[in-house]
Amino acid sequence: MSQQGYVAAPPYSQSQPGIGGFSAGFGPPSSSHHYGDPNSYSAPQPVVSKSDVPFGSSAPVGPPPPGTHQIGQTNTQNGPSTAGQQPHRFQGPPPQSSTGLSYSPYSHQTQPAYPNTASTSSTAQLANQLSSMQINSYGPGTTPSSCPSGHPASFQGPQLLPPAQQQVALPPGPWIPPPAVKSLCAQPSLPPMVRQDGIPAPVPPNPNLQQLSGQPPGPGYPQQANYGPQMAGSPLSYPGAFPGGPAQLSGPPQKKLDPDAVPSPIQVIENDKASRGGQTYATNIRGQVPPLVTTDCIIQDQGHASPRFIRCTTYCFPSSSELAKQTRIPLAAVIQPFAVVPPNETPLYIVNHGETGPIRCNRCKAYMCPFMQFIEGGRRYQCGFCSCVNDVPPFFFQHLDHVGQRVDHYERPELSLGSYEYVATLDYCRNSKPPKPPAYIFMIDVSYRNIKSGLVRLICDELKTLLDKLPREDQEESSAIRVGFVTYNKVLHFFNVKSSLARPQMMVVSDVEEVFVPLLDGFLVNFQESRSVVISLLNQIPEVFADTNESETIFAPVIQAGVEALKAAECAGKLFIFHSSLPTAEAPGKLRNRDDKKLLNTDKEKTLFQPQVNAYEALARDCVANGCCVNLFLFPNQYVDVASMGLVTMYTGGTLYKYNNFQLDADSSQFLSDLRRDVEKKTGFDAIMRVRTSTGFRATDFFGAIYMNNTTDVEMAAVDCDKAVTVEFKHDDKLSEDSGALIQCAVLYTSVSGQRRLRIHNIGLNCSSQVADVYKTCETDALINFFAKSAFKAILSQPLKTVRDILVSQTAHMLACYKKNCASPSAVSQLILPDAMKVLPVYINCLLKSCVLMGRPEIPMDERAHQRQLVMSMGVAETQLFFYPQLLPIHSLDLKSDVVPAALRCSEERLSEGGVFLLANGLSLFLWLGVSAPPELIQGLFNVPSFAHINAEATSLPDLDNPFSKKLKAILEHLQGQKPYTMKLVIVKQREQPEMLFRQLLVEDKSIYGGGSYMDFLFCLHKEICQLLS
Ligand SMILES: [Zn+2]
């Protein structure tokens, strides 16, 4: 089995063990729970009742057709539990180094809102240690594949381009490990240091940092000058162990280190923009490293998938598993199969071989692609994945030219392009029947609070226009998607909106234990045909429930109702659920408040990320098995247990939107923008993804908003343009440097028009036995995506501290291996970073500090669960921005230019009292105003005379006819761009309360919640690397 790789599964795996065995429904049937309808919608008995409220006349509703919707007796709650029970990557014991130092009690209640003093003196102190820092770069002439053997030249790194690698020289001596740690990296030549709280001796200005302007000072530069005892308080254990107490922060102001001495993410981003921005990037070369995800360019598919679809952690795999283990670089691809292709690039071609269907390798079932080698005059082809020689089907035969290429090579997308689609045949459809177009079901919580807040009316009003914008195929005039409507509180209300009706009809289902759909005909309709009935319904819903006093809600039965409706209609689809409160009504999936702060930083913290009842996992399986994607719009004003409520959304490829303390005035535009974008989004339904590889390696782990029923098929009830699946690969044999490492991702899905299709993405990577080749082609942004997702998956099964320790340890291993194999021996005491990874430490530190991995009582658990869920489905561009936010200086805008100003590093050091800054991470957006911001700028943006007059409650800027305002509005629009979530603007005035939130995103600084600064982390890493190499 194993050497054959992914042998011959049927194209669409019909049998779905574990899913098929479950019939729908929850739990044992209980006849004792019948809940009457409290809202005067007639009798609770029978459970289906015709509405007597003004939904019009007629048609008594009969019982459901026998057998169709009756829920069997199966108890789905006994299904195997999947989430949270499968430790994957993070299984090792925690590294020994991170012992001892616990959270120092960071009494941030006593902190002023603007804890300037602390961080400044902290920085000053670090400056002492860092004043010996030296950043060395090997010149551009060095070929990285041959490890540099000469003397490293010292440069002030970031300015030198393109450096082959970057060295940060940290004298190892002074970093005294905490007592509990083994002696790590003390150099024999250095005097033994004692840990003490003394004040470091004044340090001479670092000659390195001042003398250098591209001039190598020569190898003899003294690196270990006398720096005295440093790092009082020892920030060595990581994370959360950086004591920020005043004891360590006292002392006279010290000389500040120039932060530009350490690698800057902004510099890396800007350099790549400068060298590759605006150009055409052709994907014609195997293993070539694409432009950074932050660089705008035009992608031309010439045989490998666009980096919009696939990005890899490295574009050159180690040729053996031994080498892979040595480097510890994760081998992974981040696949975003439905990524938006901009209008100036070519959309995917669709190949249609009619009834024959796609051409596939007989043995490994890989699809025809540029990696197939035609032989014997074109009569046969050898599979690039498994080497099997296949006959070319007669209809597909073509002669070869003088170089052995088919003469129709460039006429066929499947021979010459990295990405394309196939029209699938009936073999690829459920029950061998062509699929029906998908359906969207809108399910609105009409309990007291949603009615009173105006939310229900807002949703209904919006849908009246939004339903005209349902997604459709480019060539079609209107959308084939059908729509249906449900409202609910403690019971469910279904609506018949059949076009022939004069008015809509409501049917109440009060048996929430065994939900069924009370009508087939008239529930899912074409909006264009039923427009008047639907509009009438949307007008009436807010009125009908206007006087409700029902505050309890159900939740799981709502999803169950949706999936039953799709089953009955035999189609895939999406549920749009608008919900506000913890579902406490007596029903399956009932939840209690379990927001227990005492569990933070204990071994039980992980349970807070797991669902509290099994019902949701069973429900998720049922949804995935039936192509039912669940989008959840949450409007909580207290704890709602996102970890439980969001589980089905996560497993079904849906999106969870959350609007805390929703206020109609302040939050409508954010919510409506999210809703519109989601409804209009390009989406593949009822999808199953398979990743095939050439021999020698295989996909072993998958991370994303996905469901895995076996080890190879990635099931997604739906997959939209924003969702990315991160796939990890492992060796099972040696890889050939000649043939490289080939990857083919195939997504079988149903289109918006109901056509079954296959979307194929191919990419070829290089292989090498040289360590340096692997490091040279790494992509830090993809690495961070991988590390974030694997860590966020691991926290379901392991203590957070273990997960953080493993992240640090693995980063240190990667860098240590590089240093050992690729750096000059003379660099023994230096922190050496490969060029392609030089900002890896700052990003890893941002990940370590994220609120998901760092439990603090101040951070609501729902927020952590929400962020965890969002990150799991993010693509590379999104994780890059999320972990390293964009900080833009607004006061220095060039009003004449359309160019967005270059971003600044995310540190307080970059702020100024006289400035105005935008800060965005894809979820949050802040406009920070310094107390001395120029009055003319304030006038221009807010139309008020001074800082004091600015209303910080506003969530948007006034539309003003002046260049400042117009320019900022344009920048805001650009920032929002193609982002999956609408960011709500928060105005932050310097030294006022909301500044705490803003400062959380200044990720290079020490976090108020205990995470260390970028500098702290470099020391920590350096220590670990020294330990590994000693
Ligand atoms: Zn094959």
Side-chain angles (χ1 to χ4, degrees), residues 934-951 958 960 989:
E936 64 273 19
L937 185 56
I938 290 177
Q939 182 72 46
L941 298 179
F942 295 92
N943 206 21
V944 296
S946 77
F947 181 83
H949 290 83
I950 296 170
N951 172 19
L960 301 173
K989 294 164 81 172

Side-chain angles (χ1 to χ4, degrees), residues 7 105 142 274 287 346 559 690 721 843 887 924 994:
V7 173
T142 314
T346 315
I559 301 177
R690 187 73 169 264
C721 55
Y843 281 93
L887 177 66
S924 307

Side-chain angles (χ1 to χ4, degrees), residues 361 363-366 383 385-388:
C361 169
R363 187 196 284 168
C364 74
K365 301 293 173 191
C383 174
F385 298 93
C386 72
S387 301
C388 174

